[in-house]
Amino acid sequence: MNSKMKQLLTALAISSAVITAPVSVQAADKPAASDIEEGKKLAFSRSKGNCLACHMAGDGAQPGNIGPALIAMKMRYPDKQKLYNKVWGTDDSTKVPNSMMPEFGKSGIITDDEIRKIVDYIYTL
């Protein structure tokens, strides 16, 4: 089966998921610079993403060290959808046991669009 067909079938499977599941992130889409900047603001915001509470990320001030540093994210998550799913909080086998990371989307902490923007930013690190 060729690569395009696999991508199409994967997209179809993702789009037919239950309505409460996170939205699909298109890794091939190049995010707008404004989305990346907005994602950085959300990630660093103490009232929204609050990534810095647990992670070192980019040039963020006073990062935490509970979670791993957010570096080399494209290498660590070649499939951007898996990174999105991790932030959203899907029920899959990639969860880290006893992780303290909130299920941001599943719990309604931040919106799907905000998660997409945060992932777009994190993917630049």
Side-chain angles (χ1 to χ4, degrees), residues 6 20 33 39 47 56 69 75 88 100 102 116 123 125:
K6 286 180 184 178
T20 59
S47 64
M56 181 196 79
M75 185 175 73
W88 196 89
M100 296 173 57
R116 181 188 55 78
Y123 220 59
L125 301 177

Side-chain angles (χ1 to χ4, degrees), residues 13-34:
I14 290 170
S15 67
S16 65
V18 179
I19 192 99
T20 59
V23 297
S24 174
V25 174
Q26 298 297 323
D29 291 345
K30 183 172 169 127
S34 60

Side-chain angles (χ1 to χ4, degrees), residues 55 66-68 76-77 86 90 92-101 103:
H55 302 277
I66 294 169
R76 290 169 55 194
Y77 287 90
K86 185 164 197 65
T90 60
D92 63 13
S93 61
T94 61
K95 282 190 177 181
V96 176
N98 303 314
S99 173
M100 296 173 57
M101 185 165 163
E103 296 174 324

Side-chain angles (χ1 to χ4, degrees), residues 10 19 36 57 65-66 92 104:
T10 300
I19 192 99
I36 293 171
N65 61 2
I66 294 169
D92 63 13
F104 287 98

Side-chain angles (χ1 to χ4, degrees), residues 61-81:
Q62 300 178 335
N65 61 2
I66 294 169
L70 301 179
I71 56 173
M73 297 308 288
K74 284 183 185 177
M75 185 175 73
R76 290 169 55 194
Y77 287 90
D79 181 350
K80 194 175 184 180
Q81 183 68 44

